[in-house]
Amino acid sequence: MRKRLALAALAATLTTPLFAQTTVVKAGRLIDPETGTSTPNAVVVIEQGRIRAIGAGLGIPTGAPVIDLGDLSVVPGLVDAHTHMGLTYKEVPENNYYYFTYVQDSTPLRAIQAASNGMQLLNSGFTVVRDVGNNALYVDVALRMAIEQGWLPGPTLIPSGPMIGSTGGQFWPTPEMYRQHDIMYPEYVDADSPEEIVRAVRQNMLFGAKTIKLCVDCKPWGYSVEDMKLVLREAAKGGCLVDGHVQTPDGAQRAIDAGIHIISHGHALSPEHHRQMAEKGIFLAGTDTPFTPYHGTKEAFEDTVARLKDAWEKKVSLTFSTDMDYWNDRMKDPKTGRWLNRGELTIDFLLTWKAAGIPAPDILKAMTITGYKASGLTDRGPLKVGNAADLIAVAGNPLADIDALRDVRFVMKDGLVYKRDGVMTPADFFHPGPVKGWRKR
Ligand SMILES: [Zn+2]
């Protein structure tokens, strides 16, 4: 019986065409952001969602379907290293005060927003997103699971679950709100003592967090160096990197002294902090907001640009990050009046990087290679044999003109085509169930 099954399996293998699971992508140029170089006439051979061969002058397997991208440049997928897909605060009715968004928008509604935002980001070439808190009751983890299981298209998510903070998190609740803890506190996990800190880290990892996000100094009673070292030790057991929200110079120094992996927000960081971060290899997710008709101020922008420029000059490990979690009715193309989608708003943060005078190859590296490292990815990101086939294509050469990334013509994730000729084609991602396995999380 056993032998017969084995023979049947062998016969099935032999009768299945060799190229059944093989796709070939051809393009004018292959960009390597690690080295800042490109190879003309690139071929990528993809088998079962993974890269089997890549480079110039490769033979194309007989009969394999070829996606010919003409003279487009192939680039690995982009990373937003700090955003919140399950939060949308607005001018009306909450006057951009996100405390009220939490009261008004339920966890299920926010999960649906996150699913839509994920598709919009993928459409703009973001194949990896670190989603770091402010996601109600694990919206980020649920979306990661749904994408991994095969329910819908979206980037690879690195979810943090709720931010862990000392009493209050980022909120200043009324006593009424605080004592009725379940009204406002899916949003943060309060953890003050060492015992509570360990429990909070374990709880988030149990529920599916792939990174740990801390409120380092959201309150005057924020975390000490020792507290953060405890978090780092505990998070390491679950393979999680630790990301600290930092808003004061003291908090920044404590996070650096503790050896945190990622510092989120650059506005409290001095040149001396940058120097130390570069020395210790701490990633910066600066959330470098541009000044646009729909957000920001000139003063804040100039400060952001100066700090980003200094961090780049000091050779800090820079990631591209946005904190893009708001909406208003000015988010339209000034020429056509068409709404800008979440992906377009995200890529618009290039304005800050260009204003800081950072060369295109360094921006591209931040948006890819450094982003993958800060995400802790091991089997996807760089375009190399064995990695997931997550790639995008643009006209022109982003090593010369980074704005080429604003018009992504082609997106492939895990070997499936999501966008072609500039048009979304997500049908292959939709399934009647968790076809990639219900245990995936
Ligand atoms: Zn944030």
Side-chain angles (χ1 to χ4, degrees):
M1 184 64 189
R2 209 163 162 190
K3 195 173 172 190
R4 189 177 297 169
L5 276 177
L7 283 174
L10 181 65
T13 311
L14 290 176
T15 51
T16 306
L18 206 58
F19 53 83
Q21 299 284 341
T22 304
T23 311
V24 174
V25 173
K26 281 173 68 180
R29 170 190 296 127
L30 171 66
I31 307 281
D32 179 0
E34 176 80 64
T35 56
T37 57
S38 64
T39 308
N41 301 319
V43 173
V44 190
V45 181
I46 295 140
E47 223 174 82
Q48 295 185 334
R50 302 215 156 249
I51 298 171
R52 287 293 163 241
I54 185 164
L58 294 179
I60 292 174
T62 315
V66 176
I67 299 170
D68 191 344
L69 298 175
D71 59 1
L72 297 185
S73 297
V74 166
V75 185
L78 309 177
V79 185
D80 185 342
H82 180 132
T83 196
H84 309 279
M85 293 200 284
L87 170 65
T88 312
Y89 62 85
K90 309 174 284 299
E91 290 180 346
V92 180
E94 63 258 47
N95 197 26
N96 284 333
Y97 192 27
Y98 56 75
Y99 198 92
F100 296 130
T101 316
Y102 301 127
V103 181
Q104 299 210 102
D105 289 1
S106 66
T107 293
L109 176 62
R110 291 170 63 182
I112 293 166
Q113 293 173 6
S116 175
N117 284 330
M119 289 187 229
Q120 295 175 54
L121 281 162
L122 188 59
N123 189 48
S124 284
F126 289 88
T127 55
V128 178
V129 167
R130 294 186 67 254
D131 199 312
V132 284
N134 302 123
N135 266 305
L137 270 180
Y138 299 90
V139 157
D140 50 346
V141 170
L143 180 57
R144 177 191 165 103
M145 289 168 64
I147 292 168
E148 298 265 305
Q149 291 181 359
W151 282 105
L152 81 173
T156 295
L157 247 84
I158 315 296
S160 71
M163 286 173 75
I164 297 169
S166 50
T167 292
Q170 287 181 295
F171 285 163
W172 294 91
T174 58
E176 292 85 348
M177 284 288 198
Y178 191 73
R179 292 177 67 167
Q180 293 295 317
H181 212 244
D182 52 346
I183 298 176
M184 298 299 291
Y185 283 84
E187 211 62 36
Y188 299 93
V189 178
D190 281 347
D192 292 304
S193 67
E195 291 74 16
E196 288 169 348
I197 289 170
V198 167
R199 179 172 293 275
V201 172
R202 288 181 185 178
Q203 175 185 304
N204 271 358
M205 295 194 299
L206 176 67
F207 293 149
K210 302 296 177 193
T211 185
I212 296 297
K213 177 82 181 297
L214 291 182
C215 266
V216 171
D217 54 2
C218 300
K219 291 287 180 287
W221 49 88
Y223 289 131
S224 68
V225 174
E226 284 313 307
D227 291 336
M228 284 184 268
K229 283 185 173 169
L230 177 60
V231 171
L232 286 160
R233 283 198 300 276
E234 204 56 37
K237 295 174 188 170
C240 287
L241 299 182
V242 179
D243 178 336
H245 165 106
V246 161
Q247 63 188 48
T248 65
D250 282 355
Q253 191 58 56
R254 295 199 304 275
I256 293 168
D257 289 344
I260 206 162
H261 300 116
I262 303 151
I263 287 185
S264 271
H265 312 299
H267 60 84
L269 302 178
S270 67
E272 172 56 19
H273 290 137
H274 290 152
R275 190 193 63 73
Q276 295 176 41
M277 286 173 71
E279 195 177 281
K280 288 195 159 188
I282 296 173
F283 296 105
L284 174 59
T287 61
D288 313 286
T289 305
F291 176 42
T292 57
Y294 49 84
H295 202 77
T297 64
K298 188 165 177 289
E299 296 70 33
F301 178 61
E302 283 168 359
D303 183 70
T304 301
V305 167
R307 287 177 202 267
L308 180 60
K309 185 176 170 62
D310 185 76
W312 172 71
E313 286 171 352
K314 299 274 191 315
K315 299 189 168 25
V316 176
S317 292
L318 300 179
T319 65
F320 182 84
S321 59
T322 63
D323 223 4
M324 172 72 242
D325 51 9
Y326 36 86
W327 174 81
N328 61 59
D329 61 10
R330 297 182 303 287
M331 291 175 164
K332 290 178 178 170
D333 184 316
K335 285 181 202 133
T336 62
R338 184 183 63 82
W339 286 111
L340 297 170
N341 67 44
R342 179 70 174 254
E344 291 167 315
L345 293 163
T346 296
I347 202 79
D348 210 21
F349 279 62
L350 285 175
L351 289 171
T352 315
W353 291 72
K354 286 168 62 184
I358 301 176
D362 288 5
I363 302 176
L364 187 62
K365 195 170 182 176
M367 298 179 87
T368 54
I369 304 298
T370 317
Y372 308 142
K373 288 178 183 165
S375 301
L377 294 170
T378 52
D379 65 346
R380 65 176 69 235
L383 296 181
K384 62 177 191 185
V385 171
N387 269 2
D390 292 358
L391 55 90
I392 66 175
V394 297
N397 183 353
L399 290 172
D401 175 12
I402 198 69
D403 283 320
L405 297 179
R406 286 177 178 273
D407 186 15
V408 171
R409 309 300 300 162
F410 176 83
V411 177
M412 172 180 272
K413 180 165 176 272
D414 289 309
L416 293 183
V417 177
Y418 180 76
K419 186 179 193 180
R420 193 167 181 176
D421 300 325
V423 179
M424 288 165 67
T425 57
D428 284 348
F429 284 82
F430 293 126
H431 296 111
V435 298
K436 294 186 179 174
W438 62 270
R439 287 178 189 277
K440 282 200 182 235
R441 71 178 223 181

